[in-house]
Amino acid sequence: MTEMRPVTEAAAIKAPTLPDAQTVTQVKHWTDRLFSFRVTRPASLRFRSGEFVMIGLLGDNGKPLLRAYSIASPAWDEELEFYSIKVQDGPLTSKLQHIQPGDQIILRPKPVGTLVHDALLPGKRIWFFATGTGFAPFASLLREPQTYEDYDEVIITHTCREVAELEYGRQLIEEVRQDELLAELMGEGFAEKIRYYPTTTREESPRMGRITELLKNGTVFADLGIDGGIKPETDRAMVCGSLAFNHDIKAILEEFGLTEGANSDPREFVIEKAFVG
């Protein structure tokens, strides 16, 4: 006969408080507008580097409040990392920015997205075009061995308003270049494939201007020593930013002769549209 026991306060505390709950393991605030955090990874979760999931918290009405977030960690990582903006009156980020290690968030374990290697035809050079927190999917792909298996050159452009907003990406790229595991897998010279091109639009920095303008006037190609610009025969691209940014980059890539692809129809470039609706 099963013994009936009263529900104690301790037992109640141990019970899951959120649906699809994962525990926060680390939080880092980069600026007053940007932060990153890591959470536990569901044992059953499988994803491709570059994909996104829905994460969130319970809203004031007790119902899940979810938004799409790119997974910034690579597919092989034991935890999941996310990179977020803080919106003071935002329904989710006004609360999410206050999470601490040990807190729980909701994570729907159904990854999707277009910024994956499978959505591109084979090429020799890949461009990652990002603004702001649009760097997140590329943080995943820059730590993905397939990126260096598939391409001879990996160019990551990151445009932000101020220098401090570039710090998450700058530190991550430095860590990737010194990553002993990737060096063991890919060979010591893999880091030489990475070409980092940060720009700012407001605060003065070594390289200023919107990446769209720097592409149009040829400054990017002159700085990187690339003759003839972007070529559909060799170049592939992934884009993640605001709606206006995505539209402008799309137009530029199409002027160079590239065609937009998708998971079901691999082509020369792909754009993540999940964060601009």
Side-chain angles (χ1 to χ4, degrees), residues 17-37:
T17 56
L18 294 176
D20 293 319
Q22 296 301 319
T23 303
V24 178
T25 61
Q26 180 182 332
V27 181
K28 182 164 184 176
H29 295 270
W30 298 89
T31 71
D32 59 359
R33 297 182 65 250
L34 299 167
F35 71 110
S36 62
F37 58 98

Side-chain angles (χ1 to χ4, degrees), residues 22 94 157 203 222 233 254:
Q22 296 301 319
S94 61
T157 80
E203 184 180 0
E233 298 81 15
E254 288 178 341

Side-chain angles (χ1 to χ4, degrees), residues 116-122 236 259-270:
V116 294
H117 287 305
D118 294 345
L120 294 176
L121 294 171
R236 303 294 176 257
T259 304
E260 185 176 0
N263 279 275
S264 58
D265 184 22
R267 296 296 177 127
E268 289 85 35
F269 76 91
V270 286

Side-chain angles (χ1 to χ4, degrees), residues 27-57:
V27 181
K28 182 164 184 176
H29 295 270
W30 298 89
T31 71
D32 59 359
R33 297 182 65 250
L34 299 167
F35 71 110
S36 62
F37 58 98
R38 294 176 68 87
V39 305
T40 53
R41 176 175 177 171
S44 60
L45 178 62
R46 298 290 181 270
F47 70 95
R48 295 175 294 176
S49 294
E51 290 187 314
F52 66 88
V53 290
M54 303 297 291
I55 68 172
L57 298 167

Side-chain angles (χ1 to χ4, degrees), residues 6-104:
V7 177
T8 64
E9 183 178 354
I13 292 174
K14 292 180 181 178
T17 56
L18 294 176
D20 293 319
Q22 296 301 319
T23 303
V24 178
T25 61
Q26 180 182 332
V27 181
K28 182 164 184 176
H29 295 270
W30 298 89
T31 71
D32 59 359
R33 297 182 65 250
L34 299 167
F35 71 110
S36 62
F37 58 98
R38 294 176 68 87
V39 305
T40 53
R41 176 175 177 171
S44 60
L45 178 62
R46 298 290 181 270
F47 70 95
R48 295 175 294 176
S49 294
E51 290 187 314
F52 66 88
V53 290
M54 303 297 291
I55 68 172
L57 298 167
L58 289 181
D60 294 336
N61 60 2
K63 296 181 179 180
L65 181 60
L66 304 173
R67 295 288 186 271
Y69 271 75
S70 286
I71 304 173
S73 47
W76 51 262
D77 202 320
E78 294 180 353
E79 293 185 335
L80 301 176
E81 182 177 329
F82 299 96
Y83 184 43
S84 178
I85 193 169
K86 305 175 188 178
V87 181
Q88 299 307 321
D89 57 352
L92 177 58
T93 59
S94 61
K95 298 180 176 65
L96 191 64
Q97 64 182 290
H98 299 298
I99 57 173
Q100 300 290 334
D103 291 346
Q104 291 184 330

Side-chain angles (χ1 to χ4, degrees), residues 116-262:
V116 294
H117 287 305
D118 294 345
L120 294 176
L121 294 171
K124 293 186 178 298
R125 177 193 295 128
I126 188 164
W127 297 77
F128 295 147
F129 293 109
T131 59
T133 54
F135 188 91
F138 306 131
S140 175
L141 287 157
L142 285 165
R143 291 181 276 189
E144 170 58 55
Q146 186 181 348
T147 301
Y148 307 99
E149 293 172 353
D150 289 356
Y151 298 97
D152 298 329
E153 196 171 4
V154 180
I155 301 174
I156 171 72
T157 80
H158 190 199
T159 300
C160 294
R161 296 181 304 177
E162 301 171 356
V163 173
E165 295 172 342
L166 295 167
E167 192 61 16
Y168 173 80
R170 188 197 69 76
Q171 285 192 24
L172 184 137
I173 288 172
E174 190 61 31
E175 290 170 4
V176 169
R177 285 174 168 156
Q178 298 176 15
D179 192 299
E180 295 180 357
L181 177 60
L182 279 174
E184 185 176 337
L185 289 171
M186 308 310 305
E188 291 294 338
F190 91 94
E192 297 174 5
K193 294 185 175 184
I194 304 172
R195 308 195 69 183
Y196 177 43
Y197 197 88
T199 71
T200 58
T201 57
R202 291 190 184 179
E203 184 180 0
E204 187 172 347
S205 70
R207 189 178 287 118
M208 296 191 66
R210 298 184 184 280
I211 191 65
T212 47
E213 294 303 318
L214 298 175
L215 285 166
K216 289 177 182 178
N217 64 26
T219 299
V220 174
F221 309 120
D223 288 345
L224 297 175
I226 296 173
D227 294 327
I230 295 172
K231 306 179 183 68
E233 298 81 15
T234 55
D235 291 73
R236 303 294 176 257
M238 295 184 179
V239 186
C240 191
S242 67
L243 181 60
F245 174 76
N246 289 357
H247 180 271
D248 291 345
I249 290 286
K250 174 183 168 74
I252 291 169
L253 293 174
E254 288 178 341
E255 287 179 9
F256 278 113
L258 278 65
T259 304
E260 185 176 0

